[in-house]
Every structure is written in structure tokens, then in C-alpha cells.
Amino acid sequence: MDMASPALLTDDLLSDIFLRLAEPADLVRTAAACVPFRRLVADRAFLRRYRSLHPAPLLGFLDHNGFHPALPPHASAPAARAVSLAADFSFSFLPASSTGRGWVVRDVRDGRVLLDRSPEDRGDEPQVFTEIAVCDPLHRRCVLLPPVPVDLATAVEHPLRLEFDRWCEPFLVPHGADGEDETSFEVICMVQCKAKLVAFAFSSTTGEWRAVASMAWRDLMAGLGVSSRSPTFSGRQYARGCFYWVMDWRDKLLVLDAGRMEFSIADVPPSCHRRQIAVVEAGEGRVGMLALRDHVADGAVSLHYTVRRDDADGSNSNQWQVEKIIPLDPGFRYYIRGAMERYTLLLRFPEHLSLAGVHVSSSAVIEDLECFSMDTKTLQLERVCELNHHIMRAYVYTNFPPSLSPQSI
């Protein structure tokens, strides 16, 4: 039987073939085969289609000690090693400070890393807004954001101190619908004040900040039967168009709709009350939640996977259903340390090991710490790496595919 000539394989047909490559590593090898293949694979429209069919793999995570790539036997280990060798996760290309002010990782998304550092000391008044940089560690590029203009900053009154001794929380907004310029990005900077929440957004397209959301606590908490005093929210997570923060004194979540730029309060499902939780993407446009639960009677630990059932018209509802209970290996303690899209990162260590009194920035060496990832598609734990230091928060790093990242951020 005659074989079809390669000349008859049009770009459209080749693109359809390449879209069926299940592993990003195979796509990278295809792009390396010849210049025409690389041109097709590097096309932004093709990459958007491929991402929609094959979500980016977990390559590792960043914490205060740098980048930790996924190691064998993790499925992403080969790609993670390549990224680890190619990228500069020490961010040596960022400007240094003569006063020793260091850059801190605050968010990771779409292969980019957002870092900030405290501003120069100007006396007793707290400097609310930090210096912010958005970086592409693979190509050693960064964009330093301009400061929030004074006329916008006047909306901030009596700010509350947050983690990392900061007064504001900057984070990246995920890319939107098809057709969006992938070299552009958006950053939100949120400030928790005594009487209200305030948020500003920066667009790399315009190069400017704008006010996007502001809401008084008394209005946000109206009808909940609780005090209107300013609560504390922490542990920012994102899924399906919304950012979520866990409320530390109620079984509630603070929600920021990234499309409408509106704040609201949502209930934590009963099965997740007062637990360590991770908000994740559950597939089919749904939002899921993983919660760690200890069973005091027998000492067992399990992960409860709960999915929100949306209404028939597609609107969000508060109807949650437990999809699966996943037993974890006995004899260990588990902590959720990060989540992004469909991935959750867990820290595990033997029950006899105590981390009490060990500060997250401590240089003390700790043995027998392990990190595991869980993909909501498979609900299987996969070992990422070992650690010799404690972490309180980790940022899952995915990029897609590593060697074909755009040549600018």
C-alpha cells in the first residue's frame, strides 16, 4: 500500500496529530525534530489548544529555600530536571539592594514567579506597598512594576499586618480566554484594612494600576450573624475563576471573583469544617476541595475529596458532595502546604518527629520530611521529593512546555 507523502501533510493535519501527543516531553521532542515542526508547536494558538487538552504537569515547587524539582519516580521528573538545569530560580537577574532587603516569592502561575521585597524604610509609618517583580526564571527576564499611585493608595486606611511582615498581598491573575496575548500578565495587590478590603490591579498591557474592588467588612459580613470586625484570612488559593482565602475564626471562605472583581463570603462544606483544606479544579468546570481529617479513635488519617455541584443554569451553589475518602499511610503526620489548579502538595513526616518550635526560616536540618503531590484527575499520591527543612507554604510550579516558553514574560 502506498504511503502518503510527507509533502501532503498540511500544517492543519500535523497540528491535529501533535495535539494527540499525551506527554509534554513528546511534544518537546517533536519540536526538536525540525524547524517546521518547531514553528507549528511554538505557535501560541496551538499551545492554547494543547493546554486545554493536556493540563501542564507539576514540575516541582518553590519555597523560601528555592526550587525543589520532582524527583524519580515522579512522572514529571525528566522535565523537572530539565527545568531545574535551565532556569535561574535564585533570581540573580533581579536588582540587588544595598540595604540587604531580599526578594520573597509570593506567587507562581503560568510559569511566572511573582516576588516582592519591603520598601526602603521611611520612618515610623508602615510602608504598605512593596516593590514587585514578575519573573520568567527560564529566560532570566523580569518586569519591575511601578508603585501604586498616591491617588489610589489613599483608599488604604489602618492596614493590617500579614505574613512575611508585609502589609499587602500581591498575586498573579491566571490567563483568560483564548486569544489573550500570552506575553501579557495581570497582578492584583490586596490590602486588608481594619474596616474594609481594598484591591488594586496592574496590567502589563497598559503599564498602569487601577482600583478594582473595595468593600467594607460590615457589608461583606452582613446577614451572616457574626461580628463585623475585621476577620483574618490566609492561605490564598485559586480555582475556576475565583481566589479563595480561609477564614481563621469561622467556617467560611473569602472569595474574589477574578472576572467581576467582586468579594463575597462562601461556606466551607460541612465535611471540611475546621480542617486543613485545598481548593482545587475538579474537572468539567467544577470546584473541588481536599480536606485532611484525623480519626482520633484509631489514629488514622484520610483525605476527603468534596466537589461542588453547580446549579442547572451553571451558577455556583453551596451544594457539596463527598466524592471519595482517601486513606493515608498510618504512622505519619500530614499537612497541606500548597495547591494549584488540579494539584495539591502535602508534607509528610513520621509521628515521632516533632516540628514544634521549628521556625519556617530556621536553618536547622530536619530529616524524614517528604513531599507528595495529588492530582485530582487520578486522586493518587505521588512522591515529589525529600526535604531537610520545614515549610509552611509552597508554590506549585508548572510550565508548559518548558523549552517552548515565550521569549518574553
Side-chain angles (χ1 to χ4, degrees), residues 96-153:
S97 169
S98 59
T99 59
R101 294 174 299 122
W103 293 95
V104 176
V105 175
R106 302 298 301 276
D107 198 14
V108 175
R109 193 167 297 280
D110 300 322
R112 300 186 177 111
V113 182
L114 185 150
L115 303 96
D116 77 349
R117 67 180 178 185
S118 57
E120 297 283 357
D121 188 14
R122 297 181 182 176
D124 296 335
E125 287 293 322
Q127 300 298 307
V128 174
F129 298 103
T130 54
E131 296 180 46
I132 301 173
V134 177
C135 300
D136 174 358
L138 282 170
H139 299 96
R140 295 166 172 79
R141 291 179 170 87
C142 70
V143 172
L144 299 176
L145 274 58
V148 175
V150 174
D151 61 324
L152 297 181

Side-chain angles (χ1 to χ4, degrees), residues 65-267:
N65 272 16
F67 179 62
H68 303 276
L71 300 176
H74 197 283
S76 298
R81 183 175 185 275
V83 168
S84 155
L85 293 173
D88 180 2
F89 287 108
S90 67
F91 305 100
S92 61
F93 50 89
L94 283 171
S97 169
S98 59
T99 59
R101 294 174 299 122
W103 293 95
V104 176
V105 175
R106 302 298 301 276
D107 198 14
V108 175
R109 193 167 297 280
D110 300 322
R112 300 186 177 111
V113 182
L114 185 150
L115 303 96
D116 77 349
R117 67 180 178 185
S118 57
E120 297 283 357
D121 188 14
R122 297 181 182 176
D124 296 335
E125 287 293 322
Q127 300 298 307
V128 174
F129 298 103
T130 54
E131 296 180 46
I132 301 173
V134 177
C135 300
D136 174 358
L138 282 170
H139 299 96
R140 295 166 172 79
R141 291 179 170 87
C142 70
V143 172
L144 299 176
L145 274 58
V148 175
V150 174
D151 61 324
L152 297 181
T154 55
V156 175
E157 301 171 330
H158 307 294
L160 304 178
R161 192 186 299 271
L162 308 173
E163 61 180 354
F164 303 114
D165 199 27
R166 302 291 202 258
W167 300 85
C168 67
E169 181 179 7
F171 49 94
L172 290 158
V173 179
H175 275 294
D178 289 353
E180 182 180 354
D181 180 6
E182 292 189 341
T183 63
S184 66
F185 62 88
E186 188 172 17
V187 172
I188 293 177
C189 188
M190 191 175 80
V191 183
Q192 296 185 32
C193 299
K194 185 176 181 180
K196 61 183 177 180
L197 277 169
V198 182
F200 310 94
F202 173 84
S203 168
S204 66
T205 303
T206 65
E208 297 178 346
W209 288 94
R210 70 186 190 279
V212 293
S214 178
M215 195 167 192
W217 288 118
R218 64 175 180 272
D219 296 330
L220 194 59
M221 309 299 287
L224 298 180
V226 298
S227 169
S228 61
R229 69 174 178 84
S230 55
T232 301
F233 294 89
S234 60
R236 181 190 68 253
Q237 300 174 55
Y238 175 87
R240 300 298 178 191
C242 291
F243 292 94
Y244 298 85
W245 290 261
V246 179
M247 198 177 202
D248 68 342
W249 57 282
R250 297 287 297 179
D251 296 320
K252 305 285 184 182
L253 296 170
L254 171 67
V255 183
L256 173 60
D257 187 308
R260 298 196 299 264
M261 288 296 176
E262 294 177 355
F263 288 112
S264 61
I265 299 293
D267 292 321

Side-chain angles (χ1 to χ4, degrees), residues 7 23 34 70 100 112 125 134 172 195 204 241 245 249 272 280 282 293-294 312 315 327 356 388 398 409:
E23 295 298 328
C34 62
R112 300 186 177 111
E125 287 293 322
V134 177
L172 290 158
S204 66
W245 290 261
W249 57 282
C272 302
V280 292
R293 303 195 70 179
D294 298 319
S315 61
N388 60 9
T398 61
I409 67 168

